Every structure is written in C-alpha cells, then in structure tokens.
Amino acid sequence: MSLPRTRAAQRLDELRESFDSSFSRPPAPRQEPGEALLRLRVGGAPLGVRLGQLSGLHLLPRLVRLPGSPDSLLGLVGLRGQLIAVHDLAAQLGLSSGEPPRWLLLAGGTRRVGLAAAGFEGQLRATREQMRSGGGSSSAHPLLSTSVLLPDAPPLPVLDVDALVRKLLEEASAPQQGR
C-alpha cells in the first residue's frame, strides 16, 4: 500500500530529476565577443578573412596544373575525394605573387572553390566597433571593402570571400569566347 505523495515530495522529485538531467545536457556554447577572422599574408600584404565564410584551411596539397588555364587558376587538387579548382588569391586581388602559395582556403557550398595564400599568420577576433566599411583607402579592391582597426597597426583589409566565390563560379559557368 502506497501512501499519497505530498506536494513537497513531488517537488523534491522534480528538483532531483532536474539536477540529474543537467549532467546529460551538453554545455552551452561559449559566446566570445566579436567575429573570428584568419590573418593571412597574400602578395606580401596582410589580409583578414572571416572564418565563417570558409569551410576549411589546409596546407596546400600537390597541385596539378591545367594547360592553357589563366595564370590566376593554379590548378586542381584532390581533397577528400573531391577535385577542387585552386585560384591564386594574390592574382585575384591584383597583387604581386612574390611568394609561392602554401595554404589552401576552402570556400563555397556544394561547389567548393580553393583559394591559395602564401602565409597563415594566426587568428583574431574583431568586435563590431573594430570593423569599418570602406577599407580606408580609395585604391582598395572592391572585394576588400571592410577593414579591421587594430591597435598599433595599420587597418587590416578583410576579404569578402562569398563575393569572390560568386565571381569565380560565374566566370567558370560563362561561355568561353574564342574557342
């Protein structure tokens, strides 16, 4: 014969269950202020790239060059069973390619695009107050319309990776003239 449960006993059971279930839930994601950016070196100049616009960063695997391709298309790489066209980021931005590319940035959705950069110099977080539109220079490339203000350093231009990927995919889909 069971005794009727009191309201206090029911509340005690609820608290016990809540306490026990708190150990089975994953911890809440830590919210750090600002946006994560990768700091790269492209054409001898520093460049920021939003981490949220990338799907990967790798050491540049062996490239297979394509005969007759434009200079800005470095070639193809095989990565995880997928062939990816790799473009020279310095050439896309109109910068000189003094250093050989060593890093591969992956971007794009189902149609991935590879962007090659010479150097990877770390990661930083930029707050909304540090991000400035306009790039700070009248000669800035249209894909570098945002910059990050850093203490004791010149503004760091930030590449719009999504716009560059759209441009590259449109160029690849456009009918070729002169063939």
Side-chain angles (χ1 to χ4, degrees):
M1 178 173 161
S2 65
L3 297 173
R5 296 183 55 136
T6 64
R7 185 179 170 126
Q10 289 176 347
R11 180 70 180 139
L12 182 62
D13 287 344
E14 289 172 7
L15 289 172
R16 185 177 298 125
E17 185 176 313
S18 173
F19 178 78
D20 290 345
S21 69
S22 70
F23 293 102
S24 63
R25 286 179 279 182
R30 218 170 97 191
Q31 295 291 328
E32 294 188 28
E35 183 175 3
L37 296 128
L38 294 183
R39 189 179 172 108
L40 305 171
R41 190 177 57 255
V42 175
L47 179 73
V49 176
R50 289 182 166 94
L51 195 56
Q53 292 182 327
L54 300 177
S55 58
L57 174 71
H58 302 268
L59 281 172
L60 186 62
R62 183 172 172 222
L63 270 169
V64 176
R65 301 215 179 253
L66 300 173
S69 64
D71 291 339
S72 62
L73 178 61
L74 295 175
L76 297 175
V77 296
L79 195 63
R80 298 183 181 153
Q82 187 178 24
L83 282 178
I84 298 169
V86 177
H87 299 268
D88 184 358
L89 194 48
Q92 291 296 324
L93 297 175
L95 302 170
S96 65
S97 302
E99 300 175 77
R102 296 183 41 149
W103 293 92
L104 173 65
L105 292 86
L106 295 177
T110 55
R111 295 182 63 192
R112 283 189 169 177
V113 173
L115 303 169
F120 169 63
E121 298 181 341
Q123 184 176 348
L124 64 108
R125 295 197 78 81
T127 63
R128 181 177 293 196
E129 293 78 25
Q130 290 176 294
M131 303 288 276
R132 296 279 187 235
S133 294
S137 171
S138 61
S139 64
H141 194 278
L143 295 171
L144 304 174
S145 62
T146 304
S147 61
V148 176
L149 300 178
L150 300 171
D152 302 327
L156 177 67
V158 177
L159 175 67
D160 186 350
V161 173
D162 291 342
L164 177 57
V165 168
R166 276 192 308 274
K167 175 184 162 249
L168 292 172
L169 292 176
E170 286 172 9
E171 289 174 0
S173 320
Q176 299 293 317
Q177 295 179 355
R179 288 190 177 181

